[in-house]
Amino acid sequence: SRSVVSSLLKLGVGFTISKICNYAALVGDNFIVGRVMGAAPLGLYSRAYQIMTLPATYVGQVMEKVLFPAFAKKQNDKERVAFVYLLGIECIGLLALPMSVFCYLASKEIVEVLLGGKWTEAVSVLEILSLGMYFRTAYKNSDTLITGLGAVYQHSARQFIYTVLVLVGAYFGTYWGLCGVSWAVLFAVVMNFVLMSQLSHKLLNLSIKPFLRTHLPGLWISFWLAIVLSLVTIAMRAYALNVFVCLAIQVVVSAIVCAVSAILSRGAFRPTFFDWSLKYLNLQSFGPI
């Protein structure tokens, strides 16, 4: 049927343009750093960037495989789709916001353990890029929603803007070294998050208030984690503990603080995900604990 083929091609072309723009944005900064600054700065930048993108990469893969067909199937039930979208944002906040705090405060130990002592110049780059970890992960949720609802050309336009911001920002950022490139890419990631969230809200007729409320649980946990982990990190570095021991302690302390602050959360700071899990996942079957 010509009408069916035309419909598929129209959707497919828009989807392909989005993918091309997104790929250009992902590799464009590496291309510019390597071309303008050379191989050594590119190695430092790319390794720090890779650490920052790990949550976004794996969470994005899960969302695309699971939520994309679900959003597409339920696209006419806007209320249900909006609930799942907001629940996804809350879950990402619970994961990525504390992880961003952890990577920022423990960047020195992360680089030295994962890459080695010769890569210490990448610490400042990782500190800057870690500030964008949440935004980089969260826009994957909007990305999946928008493509699932079929707004591929509106999505493509925003991905094109994102690509231009990355390329232009990275080029001019090279004048201030790798930190300049990192700040420019961070700005592009934040703007992409804003643009994609705005389009998601437009498609769902969603107000800003429930969207902001979904961030409170993640911010609550991140607040306590920032206080405790910063004190622990300062103390360990003052005593010059072994870097492997430091990172292990930072991981354990972060896990405990996140768990305790999540359990003790109340009111608007209590994750909706907890109550949703108890209601729909039938966790009671495992016993009272």
Side-chain angles (χ1 to χ4, degrees):
S1 170
R2 180 175 295 181
S3 60
V4 173
V5 171
S6 175
S7 176
L8 288 173
L9 284 175
K10 182 179 179 181
L11 192 69
V13 168
F15 193 80
T16 302
I17 294 173
S18 296
K19 288 292 184 181
I20 292 173
C21 290
N22 186 257
Y23 178 76
L26 291 177
V27 302
D29 50 346
N30 287 282
F31 172 78
I32 290 174
V33 170
R35 187 74 175 173
V36 177
M37 303 182 68
L42 174 61
L44 293 168
Y45 177 79
S46 62
R47 294 285 76 80
Y49 189 88
Q50 187 177 35
I51 295 172
M52 184 272 288
T53 58
L54 282 176
T57 300
Y58 292 110
V59 171
Q61 288 176 355
V62 171
M63 285 186 168
E64 190 169 8
K65 288 181 178 1
V66 177
L67 288 182
F68 175 76
F71 281 145
K73 185 177 180 180
K74 297 289 186 179
Q75 59 183 280
N76 293 323
D77 188 355
K78 295 295 176 65
E79 184 177 348
R80 180 67 175 168
V81 171
F83 173 78
V84 175
Y85 166 75
L86 292 174
L87 190 66
I89 290 292
E90 182 185 271
C91 291
I92 291 171
L94 289 170
L95 172 70
L97 285 172
M99 192 170 293
S100 178
V101 171
F102 175 81
C103 285
Y104 180 82
L105 295 174
S107 56
K108 180 178 180 292
E109 289 75 18
I110 292 172
V111 169
E112 291 188 15
V113 169
L114 296 183
L115 303 178
K118 296 181 179 180
W119 292 78
T120 53
E121 292 181 59
V123 172
S124 58
V125 178
L126 179 59
E127 285 179 341
I128 298 170
L129 293 177
S130 65
L131 299 176
M133 189 174 288
Y134 164 74
F135 302 102
R136 174 105 174 110
T137 309
Y139 88 70
K140 292 287 185 180
N141 190 48
S142 297
D143 182 89
T144 305
L145 170 72
I146 293 165
T147 52
L149 296 182
V152 290
Y153 287 97
Q154 293 171 287
H155 181 265
S156 299
R158 284 159 177 79
Q159 289 300 292
F160 177 76
I161 295 173
Y162 174 43
T163 303
V164 172
L165 288 174
V166 169
L167 295 176
V168 174
Y171 178 77
F172 285 104
T174 57
Y175 290 99
W176 291 273
L178 289 179
C179 287
V181 175
S182 301
W183 282 115
V185 171
L186 173 62
F187 174 76
V189 170
V190 173
M191 288 305 301
N192 187 44
F193 166 78
V194 172
L195 291 172
M196 298 293 281
S197 299
Q198 179 272 329
L199 179 57
S200 299
H201 298 170
K202 179 181 177 181
L203 294 173
L204 296 174
N205 295 320
L206 193 65
S207 65
I208 192 67
K209 186 176 180 179
F211 177 74
L212 295 176
R213 187 252 174 249
T214 60
H215 293 82
L216 292 179
L219 291 172
W220 165 265
I221 295 173
S222 301
F223 172 75
W224 291 111
L225 177 62
I227 294 175
V228 176
L229 187 59
S230 60
L231 295 175
V232 171
T233 301
I234 291 171
M236 290 191 300
R237 290 176 181 175
Y239 284 98
L241 294 181
N242 179 275
V243 66
F244 288 92
V245 175
C246 285
L247 186 60
I249 294 174
Q250 287 167 328
V251 170
V252 172
V253 169
S254 298
I256 293 173
V257 172
C258 289
V260 171
S261 57
I263 292 172
L264 296 179
S265 60
R266 294 291 183 272
F269 297 103
R270 178 175 173 80
T272 306
F273 176 73
F274 288 177
D275 298 327
W276 179 87
S277 300
L278 292 173
K279 183 177 180 180
Y280 290 101
L281 299 183
N282 193 26
L283 298 181
Q284 294 89 338
S285 61
F286 293 99
I289 294 178

